[in-house]
Amino acid sequence: MRAQPTASHYINGEYIDDESGAPLESRYPATGEVIATLNVATHATINAAVAAARRGFKVWSATPPAERGQVLLRAAQILREKNRELSELETLDTGKPLQETLVADAASGADCLDYFGGLTRTLTGEHIDLGGSFAYTRREPLGVVAAIGAWNYPIQIACWKAAPALACGNSVVFKPSELTPLSALKLAEALSEAGLPEGVFNVIQGLGETGAHLVSHPDVAKVSLTGSVPTGIRVAEAAAKTLKHVTLELGGKSPLIIFDDADVENAVSAAINANFYSTGQICSNGTRVFVQKGIKDAFLKRLAERTALARLGDPLDEETHIGPLVSESQMDKVLSYMKLGAEEGARLVCGGGRAEVQGFAEGLFVEPTVFADVADHMRIAREEIFGPVMCVLDFDTEDEAVARANATEFGLAAGVFTGNLARGHRVVAALHAGTCWINTYNLTPIEMPFGGYKHSGFGRENGHAAIEHYSQIKSVYVELGNVESAY
Ligand code: NDP
């Protein structure tokens, strides 16, 4: 199986290779096969991408907003037309089942391009009456945006960063994760086909060092990272040296609180989605499931019964629910947490190890795993695992649940299940998390801002809020009378 792109990088509207860069292989996690071999961008290639983006910025920032919007809308249409091809590519690159990639990856990217394409015409400033004179504001772009992605939603992350950046008139240099380099190149192709001028959206391949060079580049005005907390800290430190704008979408250990009066089947569905979708590799996952004691037994019984129905298997088979993890090191990490859970004294309800999938001996599959009787101090309840490992903790009162849910350095997301809507609103108001759900989990429509509190990051993606993070306000004072001076 091969998914070799035309070349490694996309700069100034065309594919570029730079064979002096170290080789970079993309593997299909279900079989271990190498599906593409690319090259890491050298410093010369990174600098060329930033230079192209600077030139692209001059053209794009002067393009009328309505025209910018038309390009984004056309690109959204192209992604939709190519959804199956793009979904298959994403499945090969990430191992996520086609059942998911068909609806959640390029499709979400297209929604985002649509949303921000529609918004460009509304990007206005304000008029401020000052009596004899007035002021107005202009909403202006920042310049070259360095966007750096994680491997779990490659094309979605590229779109979530590119669409608001481009809508505001910025240009972009995007670096995908080294594990999933392919789909961002397809986005670049789609944007060019839609009429985006040369140099406005560029893709370079590489590892952390490539991202670091990009972040420290003096011609980059803004950095937007999706990644782990340690990488976020390094990026914020590096960006501070040249006072760049920064958006950080980082990790989480989010709580999902289920009260006695919740609908059990809906709560179980949400807990499954919040832990096993994308093989658990989702930043906002509700991995600490707090269940009130009165409903605990019924919840765990149905959870075990329904988790047993999950079909692990060939990711390209649309009947498959759960695919492999993205890489061997990620699998080793997840397996080590499964072992740790048992050592720490949590009760294994189901799963707990590597999964055998017929025909995929080399596949990086693990079992969807549930631990019950988890205590707050256990490492499986405190650290981000980023795999299909659910921790179920029980509680007595609402105040207790809120206090324990908030006792974490993370603050990306949270969910509440209850039949009492007043309690639902009261509890989410008390939770320290950037994105909350009442009686559902992990739905992230483009209209709704998304981002973290505390160590889960700052800045917002999606919604009108994202515009604030990809533009700046210029204030203009206009004098209509004479200018007075003391002498
Ligand atoms: P990493 O933090 O390892 O990497 C993220 C990106 O940053 C990669 O492209 C990586 O390159 C790059 N990078 C690494 N070091 C540096 C550096 N010093 N300077 C600039 N760039 C650098 O995260 P993962 O890719 O492993 O993704 C998983 C993490 O992402 C989890 O913590 C998850 O919670 C988080 N995440 C957050 C989301 C959110 O929206 N809040 C959504 C999805 C994931 P490379 O990997 O190629 O070396």
Side-chain angles (χ1 to χ4, degrees), residues 68-78 80 113-118 194:
R68 298 203 295 254
Q70 289 302 322
V71 171
L72 299 188
L73 294 170
R74 277 197 295 272
Q77 188 56 30
I78 293 167
R80 289 211 174 86
L113 288 161
D114 259 347
Y115 178 81
F116 287 103

Side-chain angles (χ1 to χ4, degrees), residues 186-198:
K186 293 290 176 189
L187 174 63
E189 276 181 31
L191 285 163
S192 287
E193 194 183 329
L196 192 73
E198 289 167 3

Side-chain angles (χ1 to χ4, degrees), residues 9 18-22 39-48 205 210 213:
H9 319 293
D18 172 5
E19 276 152 20
S20 55
N39 292 101
V40 169
T42 57
H43 284 190
T45 302
I46 303 168
N47 294 344
Q205 308 295 347
T210 318
H213 185 76

Side-chain angles (χ1 to χ4, degrees), residues 259-328:
F259 287 95
D260 278 349
D261 59 0
D263 178 285
V264 177
E265 286 306 315
N266 283 333
V268 169
S269 298
I272 286 172
N273 292 341
N275 283 273
F276 303 146
Y277 202 75
S278 281
T279 321
Q281 303 165 116
I282 299 184
C283 50
S284 51
N285 268 355
T287 46
R288 290 184 296 143
V289 181
F290 291 92
V291 184
Q292 203 164 18
K293 283 185 179 150
I295 206 175
K296 177 184 157 189
D297 290 343
F299 175 84
L300 283 173
K301 178 170 175 288
R302 286 298 290 142
L303 180 64
E305 285 167 3
R306 289 179 53 189
T307 302
L309 302 176
R311 277 192 298 272
L312 276 76
D314 179 357
L316 289 166
D317 176 348
E318 282 181 48
E319 298 301 310
T320 295
H321 298 130
I322 299 185
L325 291 164
V326 74
S327 67
E328 201 160 340

Side-chain angles (χ1 to χ4, degrees), residues 93-175:
D93 219 9
T94 61
K96 295 195 298 178
L98 194 54
Q99 187 185 87
E100 292 185 10
T101 52
L102 280 170
V103 295
D105 291 77
S108 159
D111 276 354
C112 188
L113 288 161
D114 259 347
Y115 178 81
F116 287 103
L119 221 55
T120 57
R121 292 170 191 261
T122 72
L123 301 179
T124 55
E126 59 180 341
H127 170 270
I128 302 153
D129 189 349
L130 298 172
S133 53
F134 70 95
Y136 65 93
T137 60
R138 291 169 49 82
R139 185 167 288 282
E140 296 188 347
L142 300 168
V144 176
V145 174
I148 301 174
W151 39 260
N152 59 341
Y153 278 88
I155 198 168
Q156 184 196 78
I157 291 172
C159 289
W160 282 21
K161 296 188 187 309
L166 298 179
C168 292
N170 303 284
S171 59
V172 176
V173 178
F174 184 73
K175 189 203 85 68

